[in-house]
């Protein structure tokens, strides 16, 4: 992509060192760098960018005043955020929302709209309007079976076999299906193992079918991303050799029973995407003040917010929450998001400590999950669950890029990588909510067009 900055030879000298002058398109000077690797913040850093990439990082004062310098004094620089689970339709409206909130890449693991044509138009939008669109990575369409999740459980005319969903029937046919989808520019195959969101449940896809999909996918260098909703399905994914797991929500690890399975997953370097926003989404109708905050951003469709406001009363929502979490917590009379966050947080922290590659993802596309903004909500839930901001930022950047196989180009702010980054007014290591104090967003070194807040 062509830089919007004119390439200009600039000569300058460093005050305090004998480093050579360099050519650059942009320098962010004197900024506190939080580079996404989970290491300590580096105050007083200067990032030099040329042709969209970081070409040098220095420390100390620089004596240069030029229009190509963005003064980062008292500001914090983090890598562009990567939503590890997003359904962005309609992309035209939602892409600028991701960018507004610093999400410079998204990963789409199939959707009701995800035909080859629609994927193609998302990719085109991302490359043709790079100043207001995130990078897009995606899987194949859902692989599931006839009469299973999500086609039966979320019945919708958008599910069309061969277009937005593939039904596996036998192992021979799986060979043909995988060969067919491998011709598309996909990172891997999305396999739905879930038995459905509510009783009565549907049958799960048999483990041997998942295993066959994995075997065939690996022939084409494709990963398999397993959609699960509980620990039983995690065991199926592990047994079948799936490469990544795209939900943590609904999973409750029994560390006495499940440690071996978890250790095997970690030994295989399986990435695991959080999507705890699915829990928060159930709490939303009980907290009308949260929707007030969404309204105040003036970035989302007012009619859509009104629709959400009328889906459930606060009372109905509380009754539903009580039912939903009753089993898990002995009939807890008034479940709170903080309780859910700390329940999940314990398992997630244990996974992190063991070296699991946890990735922040929102599952935006569902009600009450807002493209861009909810990424910050997901990070806040991690903080509520006891995870340190430095680890949360790593999950949101480095770990996501690792899952997507693009860590050599994205995910951290290091020399040689693309300058996808977010400049913040306040320190996100002091409070992860400070990732919302966005000064500016860059994709490939280019200042992005943010939506005007009123
Ligand atoms: Zn999803």
């Amino acid at each position: 992509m062509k830089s919007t900055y004119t390439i200009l030879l600039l000569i300058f000298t460093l005050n305090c060192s004998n480093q050579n002058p360099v050519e650059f398109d942009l320098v962010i000077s004197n900024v506190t760098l939080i580079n996404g690797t989970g290491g300590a913040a580096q105050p007083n850093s200067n990032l030099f960018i040329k042709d969209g990439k970081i070409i040098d990082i220095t420390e100390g004062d620089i004596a240069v005043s030029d229009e190509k310098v963005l003064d980062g004094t008292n500001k914090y620089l983090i890598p562009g955020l990567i939503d590890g689970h997003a359904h962005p339709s309609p992309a035209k409206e939602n892409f600028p929302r991701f960018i507004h909130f610093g999400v410079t890449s998204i990963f789409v693991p199939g959707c009701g709209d995800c035909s080859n044509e629609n994927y193609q138009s998302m990719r085109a939008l991302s490359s043709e309007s790079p100043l207001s669109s995130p990078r897009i990575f995606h899987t194949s369409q859902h692989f599931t079976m006839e009469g299973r999740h999500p086609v039966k459980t979320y019945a919708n005319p958008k599910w069309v076999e061969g277009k937005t969903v593939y039904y596996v029937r036998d192992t021979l046919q799986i060979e043909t299906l995988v060969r067919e989808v491998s011709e598309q520019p996909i990172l891997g195959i999305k396999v739905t193992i879930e038995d459905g969101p509510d009783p009565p449940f549907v049958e799960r896809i048999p483990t041997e079918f998942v295993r066959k999909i994995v075997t065939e996918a690996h022939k084409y260098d494709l990963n398999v991303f397993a959609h699960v909703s509980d620990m039983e399905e995690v065991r199926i994914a592990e047994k079948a050799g799936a490469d990544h797991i795209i939900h943590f929500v609904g999973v409750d690890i029994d560390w006495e029973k499940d440690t071996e399975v978890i250790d095997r997953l970690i030994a295989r370097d399986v990435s695991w995407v959080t999507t705890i926003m699915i829990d928060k989404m159930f709490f939303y109708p009980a907290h009308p003040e949260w929707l007030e905050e969404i309204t105040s951003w003036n970035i989302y469709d007012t009619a859509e917010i009104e629709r959400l406001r009328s889906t459930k009363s606060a009372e109905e929502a509380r009754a539903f929450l009580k039912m939903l979490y009753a089993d898990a917590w002995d009939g807890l009379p008034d479940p709170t998001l903080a309780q859910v966050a700390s329940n999940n947080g314990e398992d997630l922290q244990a996974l992190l400590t063991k070296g699991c590659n946890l990735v922040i993802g929102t599952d935006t596309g569902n009600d009450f999950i807002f493209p861009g903004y909810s990424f910050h909500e997901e990070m806040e839930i991690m903080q509520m669950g006891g995870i340190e901001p430095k680890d949360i930022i790593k999950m949101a950047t480095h770990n996501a890029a690792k899952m997507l196989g693009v860590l050599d180009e994205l995910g951290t702010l290091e020399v040689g990588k693309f300058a996808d980054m977010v400049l913040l007014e306040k320190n996100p290591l002091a409070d992860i909510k400070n990732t919302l104090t966005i000064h500016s967003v860059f994709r490939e070194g280019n200042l992005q067009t943010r939506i005007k807040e009123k």
Side-chain angles (χ1 to χ4, degrees):
M1 180 189 325
K2 226 175 147 191
S3 168
T4 53
Y5 294 92
T6 326
I7 296 167
L8 196 66
L9 180 71
L10 287 161
I11 309 255
F12 68 97
T13 38
L14 290 164
N15 259 356
C16 54
S17 76
N18 52 6
Q19 288 184 32
N20 293 325
V22 287
E23 292 174 44
F24 59 88
D25 300 329
L26 169 72
V27 57
I28 298 186
S29 68
N30 195 30
V31 75
T32 299
L33 176 63
I34 298 160
N35 71 4
T37 61
Q42 299 156 251
N44 209 208
S45 293
N46 311 295
L47 261 88
F48 295 84
I49 291 140
K50 189 174 188 315
D51 297 336
K53 289 195 165 174
I54 301 164
I55 52 162
D56 201 4
I57 299 173
T58 66
E59 232 180 87
D61 298 337
I62 50 171
V64 52
S65 69
D66 187 275
E67 59 179 17
K68 299 288 175 265
V69 179
L70 200 161
D71 183 6
T73 305
N74 296 326
K75 293 186 174 62
Y76 301 82
L77 193 66
I78 61 171
L81 304 168
I82 304 175
D83 192 333
H85 189 141
H87 308 291
S89 298
K92 232 187 167 106
E93 276 101 274
N94 286 331
F95 275 10
R97 292 170 174 148
F98 286 110
I99 287 299
H100 183 82
F101 285 106
V103 178
T104 54
S105 295
I106 59 170
F107 177 56
V108 186
C111 66
D113 288 329
C114 290
S115 60
N116 286 342
E117 295 71 32
N118 200 15
Y119 268 147
Q120 155 68 29
S121 69
M122 285 184 210
R123 293 194 305 271
L125 185 62
S126 175
S127 58
E128 285 158 17
S129 322
L131 294 186
S132 53
S133 302
R135 298 172 191 270
I136 172 168
F137 302 90
H138 63 83
T139 62
S140 68
Q141 290 80 354
H142 285 257
F143 274 42
T144 181
M145 292 172 75
E146 205 165 0
R148 307 282 170 95
H149 186 67
V151 178
K152 187 174 179 189
T153 44
Y154 293 139
N156 188 320
K158 285 178 175 175
W159 299 121
V160 179
E161 187 185 4
K163 264 190 155 267
T164 53
V165 68
Y166 286 99
Y167 297 146
V168 300
R169 293 191 166 84
D170 58 63
T171 46
L172 257 185
Q173 176 241 12
I174 288 172
E175 291 181 16
T176 315
L177 284 185
V178 173
R179 191 182 336 111
E180 199 179 316
V181 301
S182 75
E183 284 158 18
Q184 297 296 319
I186 56 173
L187 287 189
I189 291 177
K190 150 94 169 248
V191 182
T192 302
I193 301 177
E194 183 178 349
D195 57 359
D198 298 300
F201 295 111
V202 293
E203 294 261 323
R204 295 182 175 115
I205 184 169
T207 308
E208 59 268 31
F209 279 12
V210 184
R211 189 179 291 123
K212 179 65 177 171
I213 294 168
V214 171
T215 308
E216 292 306 307
H218 287 180
K219 287 183 187 167
Y220 301 96
D221 226 4
L222 295 172
N223 281 329
V224 171
F225 296 81
H227 167 111
V228 304
S229 63
D230 59 29
M231 193 58 211
E232 179 54 30
E233 291 158 9
V234 171
R235 287 186 208 105
I236 295 172
E238 190 279 320
K239 216 169 162 189
D243 301 286
H244 305 296
I245 300 176
I246 57 174
H247 286 291
F248 186 82
V249 66
V251 173
D252 189 10
I253 301 173
D254 178 344
W255 289 99
E256 288 203 359
K257 216 169 83 193
D258 300 324
T259 298
E260 277 180 41
V261 172
I262 297 294
D263 286 349
R264 282 199 294 271
L265 286 170
I266 293 171
R268 289 215 331 261
D269 218 2
V270 165
S271 296
W272 202 336
V273 185
T274 57
T275 70
I276 311 296
M277 273 309 293
I278 304 263
D279 274 314
K280 185 168 180 180
M281 140 187 147
F282 298 130
F283 282 89
Y284 248 94
H287 291 272
E289 74 279 8
W290 293 350
L291 274 186
E292 292 307 317
E293 172 138 15
I294 303 295
T295 311
S296 76
W297 286 106
N298 226 330
I299 275 170
Y300 299 99
D301 187 41
T302 333
E304 171 62 5
I305 296 173
E306 280 316 307
R307 183 188 72 79
L308 292 172
R309 217 186 286 281
S310 62
T311 49
K312 250 190 202 130
S313 72
E315 221 164 65
E316 285 168 326
R318 274 195 289 273
F320 177 74
L321 290 168
K322 202 172 158 182
M323 183 198 76
L324 187 66
Y325 298 108
D327 285 352
W329 300 337
D330 298 327
L332 204 67
D334 195 9
T336 64
L337 180 63
Q339 286 161 338
V340 172
S342 76
N343 221 27
N344 284 309
E346 262 175 49
D347 282 347
L348 290 169
Q349 182 57 59
L351 286 170
L352 275 182
T353 306
K354 277 175 166 282
C356 182
N357 194 59
L358 287 180
V359 172
I360 301 280
T362 58
D363 212 354
T364 177
N366 286 288
D367 279 359
F368 299 103
I369 308 183
F370 302 91
Y373 176 72
S374 289
F375 195 85
H376 299 266
E377 294 183 277
E378 183 80 20
M379 292 197 289
E380 191 192 348
I381 294 169
M382 296 297 128
Q383 181 171 271
M384 288 165 86
I387 299 174
E388 279 186 56
K390 71 172 174 57
D391 294 328
I392 299 170
I393 292 170
K394 189 179 175 196
M395 290 161 68
T397 58
H398 170 283
N399 292 7
K402 187 177 167 191
M403 175 178 80
L404 302 177
V406 291
L407 193 54
D408 55 341
E409 296 189 318
L410 291 173
T412 65
L413 296 179
E414 294 173 291
V415 172
K417 298 216 183 178
F418 282 119
D420 287 19
M421 48 197 188
V422 188
L423 188 62
L424 303 171
E425 300 282 3
K426 290 186 183 167
N427 186 0
L429 298 182
D431 182 350
I432 201 68
K433 283 195 267 183
N434 288 337
T435 53
L436 278 168
T437 64
I438 296 174
H439 175 279
S440 42
V441 180
F442 296 83
R443 175 179 157 187
E444 220 162 303
N446 295 318
L447 182 63
Q448 300 298 99
T449 313
R450 297 185 70 218
I451 303 167
K452 270 224 156 34
E453 291 169 33
K454 287 170 204 161

